[in-house]
Amino acid sequence: MTGPATDTGTTPPAAPSLGRKVGSAARWSLVNTVVMRLGNFVTGIILARFFLGPEAWGVYGIAQTVLLVLLSANELGVSLAIVRWEGDPRRFAPTVLTLSAASSCLLYAALFAAAPAVARVLGSPEASGVLRVMCLCVVLDGLSQVPAGFLTRAFAQGRRMAIDGLNFVLSTAVTLLLAVEGWGAMSFACGAVAGNVAALIGCCLAAPGTLRFGWDREQARALLRFGLPLAGASMLALGVVNVDTMVVGSALDQLALGFYVLAFNISGWPVRIVSEAARRVSFAGFSRLASSPKALASGFGRALGVVVAATVPLCVLLAALAGPLVELVYGERWLPAARALPWLMALGLVRIGCELAYDCLVALGRRRSLIAVQGLWLVVLVPALVLGARTGGIVGVAQGHVLVAGAVVVPVFLIALHRGGIPLGTVARACAWPFLGGVVMTAVILGLERYLGDGVLALLATGAAGTLCYVLCVLPGRSVLRG
């Protein structure tokens, strides 16, 4: 304990405000995400155009889906305590690391044994080896959760950018090298493992002294009570995002799965660029505001407004110009993927809002509400996707996604937020001007495309005109986005 402060005649420097910390971290996070995603975008184009066909992308999609589901539960949700709990996190960090590492190793052992059966059920028996290699990332991710949590808690997104850059450079180099050598989907798996090894080393260097194992029984009980509901909700959330790949893989052929995976990856560009940048600071920021309902409602409204305003034009561009853009970027053989893209862009916009609401509800401690919402989403979604696959192929799957999200999930999330102290009017004000701008932008792009065609210069002119109209529509609501 420190004694009372004494007057030394000097004024200590003021600590940065929470808003300033969040703003700085958000800027670093946005730069980081944009740079990494552009790099991944270019890498994906090279692989799709020159080295890997739809079948290899289908195998990769299956492996990536299984990996993401495992990652949602690999540390039992306990690592969020590093960010959320008050006090010095170094007291309980060793117990968090022990729980995280043990659960990650058990999950990987189970996956290693079940990989052949999982691959057969998902319609890609040849994905078994890729699954076993790629899911080594589960163990590496479990080990990195504690140092990464310290960086998130401290809003140290500049250091996170350096770590992610190292991950990207190494994983991309390994993936491209092996793809050139003809390794197919296995090149993705080996690249992912190499990148995660680099990320683990980087996290340990950026947050020294945090990779220490330890055990305290009382702390472990408290951590599991805190984390297990969040892990369950996270697993349901990732199940919602990835169950479509499983449905397409089992109900359709591998070629259709490859087209769907590419379309879904394209639709994820705005989600990853905007939402990922926001979520690296949103949970920590909402957690600090959770004790003040008025401040939390205001903070959530501004965060939602900024995220939606940044996402709408990206979604509109990719949806309205889906066919010409896919053909221009990936080549004519990938055109079937463009048919599902407009629907998946609508889904991406909904997901961004739901993910921000998810973080807000976690910060409020409304874990039961989250589990109920995600469970309802998954239960309603699975039959809708199966029916969509049988009646409309990959387009039917995308339509089923949008129908369930818009008609069921969004209203339920709004009710949960309202009960948590976020008025519906706050959400409406945050989304009103961006949605109006999106409607106008869509009309302008579709009208100009009809007259200008789909050449490169025409696409640039159409996109620029649509974006300008969007900006003019959003300007009246700029006061909502400030702060």
Side-chain angles (χ1 to χ4, degrees), residues 88 110 114 142 320 401:
D88 183 5
H401 246 313

Side-chain angles (χ1 to χ4, degrees), residues 17 39 46 59 91 93 109 134 181-182 231 300 307 353 369 373 406 412 432 466:
S17 68
I46 294 171
V59 173
R91 292 183 298 104
M134 182 172 280
E181 295 296 321
F300 177 80
V307 167
S369 296
V373 172
V412 174

Side-chain angles (χ1 to χ4, degrees), residues 4 168 272 306 366:
F168 169 75
R272 296 188 187 106
V306 171
R366 303 183 70 86

Side-chain angles (χ1 to χ4, degrees), residues 297 300-301 304 414 417-418 421-432 480:
F300 177 80
L304 181 63
L414 290 175
L417 287 171
H418 182 70
I422 311 295
L424 299 182
T426 299
V427 177
R429 284 192 296 273
C431 298
V480 180

Side-chain angles (χ1 to χ4, degrees), residues 5 182 188 202 233 316 326 412 414 428 461 471:
F188 286 113
V316 170
V326 169
V412 174
L414 290 175
V471 170

Side-chain angles (χ1 to χ4, degrees), residues 78-318:
V78 296
S79 67
L80 288 176
I82 300 292
V83 181
R84 180 68 177 89
W85 282 10
E86 299 294 337
D88 183 5
R90 291 182 184 270
R91 292 183 298 104
F92 52 87
T95 304
V96 172
L97 182 60
T98 301
L99 285 170
S100 179
S103 62
S104 299
C105 290
L106 287 174
L107 273 176
Y108 179 73
L111 181 277
F112 189 91
V118 171
R120 283 196 302 272
V121 169
L122 297 180
S124 297
E126 62 273 31
S128 175
V130 178
L131 275 173
R132 285 173 166 167
V133 174
M134 182 172 280
C135 288
L136 281 169
C137 295
V138 171
V139 178
L140 297 169
D141 182 76
L143 293 172
S144 68
Q145 285 296 317
V146 168
F150 273 87
L151 295 177
T152 300
R153 183 184 179 99
F155 298 100
Q157 292 302 317
R159 282 177 277 173
R160 282 297 300 267
M161 181 173 179
I163 294 167
D164 290 345
L166 181 64
N167 182 338
F168 169 75
V169 169
L170 189 57
S171 63
T172 300
V174 172
T175 300
L176 288 173
L177 178 63
L178 296 181
V180 170
E181 295 296 321
W183 283 50
M186 185 61 79
S187 59
F188 286 113
C190 295
V193 172
N196 273 264
V197 170
L200 174 59
I201 296 172
C203 283
C204 293
L205 294 175
T210 57
L211 201 68
R212 291 192 304 110
F213 290 92
W215 185 255
D216 183 293
R217 184 179 298 179
E218 293 303 316
Q219 287 178 356
R221 289 175 180 171
L223 287 165
L224 290 173
R225 283 196 300 270
F226 170 81
L228 285 175
L230 296 179
S234 180
M235 199 165 185
L236 288 171
L238 275 173
V240 165
V241 175
N242 293 284
V243 70
D244 51 356
T245 303
M246 301 179 185
V247 169
V248 173
S250 57
L252 303 175
D253 55 39
Q254 201 171 60
L255 189 65
L257 177 60
F259 290 133
Y260 185 82
V261 168
L262 184 76
F264 196 86
N265 285 345
I266 296 173
S267 73
W269 292 345
V271 176
R272 296 188 187 106
I273 290 174
V274 179
S275 183
E276 194 172 295
R279 296 191 79 190
R280 288 190 174 185
V281 297
S282 63
F283 176 64
F286 291 152
S287 296
R288 308 292 172 87
L289 298 173
S291 59
S292 173
K294 185 176 180 181
L296 180 61
S298 175
F300 177 80
R302 292 182 184 279
L304 181 63
V306 171
V307 167
V308 172
T311 309
V312 165
L314 298 173
C315 291
V316 170
L317 282 172
L318 290 172

